[in-house]
Amino acid sequence: MLITAAHVLAGADRHVIPDGAVLVREGVIACVGPREEVERQARPDEPRLAHPTGTVLPGLIDAHVHLCFDAGPGPVATLQDQDDEALFADMTSRAGQLLGVGVTTVRDLGDRGGLALRLAEAIGAGRAAGPRIVSATTPVTPPGGHCWFLGGEASGPDEVRALVQRNADAGAKVIKVMETGGRLTKGGAESWETQFSAEELAALVDAAHGAGLPVAAHAHGTDGIAAAVEAGVDTIEHCSWMTSDGIEVRADVIARIVEKNIHVCPTISPHWPMLPKFFGAERAKAMFDAVRQMADAGVRLIAGTDAGVQRAGFDGLPASLTFYEHLGLPKERILAMATTEAARALGVGSETGQLTPGFSADLLVVEGNPLTDLGALQSVKTVVAAGRHYAAGAAE
Ligand SMILES: [Zn+2]
């Protein structure tokens, strides 16, 4: 398949090739370069997709989704009412929605019954349309803790280690730990409260790293964030710096995050402009400032939406990225957050996230140029995932 466009964002640095082309063979990027050069390598019968006013860029990565949740007003109740077969059917359709907006890789940070792994296998075998899924399987939480209903309760270092091993044996590619509470879970710890002891968290990180898996820590609370950083987790999710009475960003902890090369996924909903209405102007400003402070300090931020929780649909990643533009981040850095940087954080940086020969053919074509107008990401023309071509807006 030969794809030509006005601009191609090529290589690890997404440098612009004007009037460029990408040649895809057997699921892999075979060649990227100026159109005339790449065309010479294409066979006469090669399928051709011409987008003379568009841009080809690497497929987007949503580093934080929950395929098991429906993004409705009560995602937990809906989940609990569904059996595995009905849930699997819904998860399959959500995977198609992600693909439709150009998301070709997701990290699923918590589902039930290994269904995301089953879906990943179906997608890999071509039985379902969807992005590559890096699955955490069941998140690790204390008894009755945040998202206990997903089946990952563990108490004490031994139980924590056993659960990490169970997930690793099942095929998890990352271990998710609920280091603090969360709003989604009624009757559990508050968002700012730490759920695990330092000893339990150390055991979890040790067991995960021993199994060759990174750790993603859900951490809203400032204390939990600090504890996760010291325990040596690999990514911090949400990272909202909450205390019992507000928001307290700690510059010393941010410095440690940078020093330890920890990625932070702030989980931004496409409806972020509603936050001042939802939390009040002052609180929303403090939330925005916290992310800006991390960005300014050089924290390696990655894009994620928490798709599946209330108001976070599976088509929201492109719109969510405008949040970072609002904070003043350069468009180039925002694209990196949703491609190369996210790929690295997910442990798939040598197979996806860039248009480079030998990488998986995960790409999208948008109308216009996202380097001059980020809104271009919302006019998807073509999506290619693992070399399979999908029409815009709908998985074939
Ligand atoms: Zn989440």
Side-chain angles (χ1 to χ4, degrees), residues 14-384:
R14 288 166 306 284
H15 60 275
V16 179
I17 300 176
D19 193 15
V22 179
L23 184 62
V24 171
R25 293 239 171 96
E26 285 160 17
V28 172
I29 294 169
C31 185
V32 185
R35 182 173 54 82
E36 286 185 6
E37 272 177 36
V38 179
E39 265 176 349
R40 275 200 292 275
Q41 300 187 42
R43 290 184 292 255
D45 63 342
E46 201 100 48
R48 284 164 196 251
L49 298 169
H51 292 282
T53 54
T55 299
V56 191
L57 69 150
L60 302 178
I61 299 173
D62 191 329
H64 192 132
V65 307
H66 297 277
L67 288 160
C68 69
F69 292 137
D70 73 342
V76 177
T78 308
L79 171 90
Q80 287 174 319
D81 282 348
Q82 281 188 303
D83 65 20
D84 279 2
E85 288 316 303
L87 181 56
F88 185 76
D90 280 357
M91 288 168 69
T92 305
S93 103
R94 291 165 199 155
Q97 286 174 45
L98 284 156
L99 202 57
V101 296
V103 173
T104 56
T105 298
V106 296
R107 185 175 51 162
D108 187 288
L109 284 179
D111 79 323
R112 187 181 78 191
L115 293 177
L117 281 178
R118 188 173 137 198
L119 182 54
E121 198 186 304
I123 291 167
R127 294 193 306 272
R132 168 191 290 94
I133 300 172
V134 175
S135 168
T137 68
T138 28
V140 183
T141 199
H146 183 45
C147 287
W148 61 269
F149 46 81
L150 295 177
E153 294 169 291
S155 177
D158 292 345
E159 276 186 36
V160 164
R161 281 182 184 277
L163 183 52
V164 168
Q165 196 55 53
R166 188 187 86 187
N167 285 353
D169 290 345
K173 292 283 183 277
V174 53
I175 297 298
K176 170 82 177 292
V177 58
M178 299 303 197
E179 171 62 358
T180 70
R183 262 192 316 125
L184 202 61
T185 307
K186 302 271 175 292
E190 297 288 354
S191 297
W192 56 85
E193 288 174 344
T194 303
Q195 297 199 123
F196 281 114
S197 69
E199 195 190 2
E200 288 168 319
L201 193 58
L204 180 135
V205 172
D206 184 59
H209 289 174
L213 300 178
V215 175
H218 160 110
H220 284 295
T222 301
D223 290 346
I225 293 167
V229 169
E230 288 318 308
V233 306
D234 301 277
T235 71
I236 296 177
E237 309 302 313
H238 314 299
C239 205
S240 24
W241 303 98
M242 289 167 70
T243 61
S244 57
D245 59 358
I247 286 182
E248 188 209 349
V249 183
R250 278 179 54 186
D252 62 320
V253 178
I254 291 182
R256 289 288 284 159
I257 290 174
V258 173
E259 199 180 302
K260 298 181 90 164
N261 265 330
I262 295 169
H263 281 94
V264 170
C265 180
T267 61
I268 302 300
S269 146
H271 305 296
W272 66 267
M274 298 290 290
L275 287 177
K277 204 177 255 178
F278 199 71
F279 287 105
E282 199 182 328
R283 176 72 180 237
K285 184 182 179 304
M287 293 162 79
F288 291 9
D289 285 348
V291 181
R292 188 185 288 116
Q293 195 175 333
M294 290 191 282
D296 289 349
V299 171
R300 298 160 80 186
L301 299 175
I302 54 173
T305 57
D306 218 352
V309 305
Q310 297 99 323
R311 290 174 296 278
F314 289 85
D315 57 355
L317 181 67
S320 78
L321 296 177
T322 58
F323 170 76
Y324 297 102
E325 199 169 33
H326 174 77
L327 292 189
L329 271 62
K331 294 176 185 67
E332 168 48 39
R333 183 171 178 191
I334 299 170
L335 285 182
M337 287 171 53
T339 57
T340 37
E341 205 60 56
R344 270 179 216 126
L346 270 56
V348 292
S350 57
E351 52 185 294
T352 191
Q354 52 184 284
L355 302 181
T356 295
F359 276 64
S360 175
D362 302 326
L363 58 87
L364 76 152
V365 185
V366 299
E367 184 59 29
N369 181 355
L371 286 175
T372 50
D373 173 13
L374 211 57
L377 294 177
Q378 294 178 58
S379 36
V380 174
K381 308 306 260 181
T382 286
V383 180
V384 175

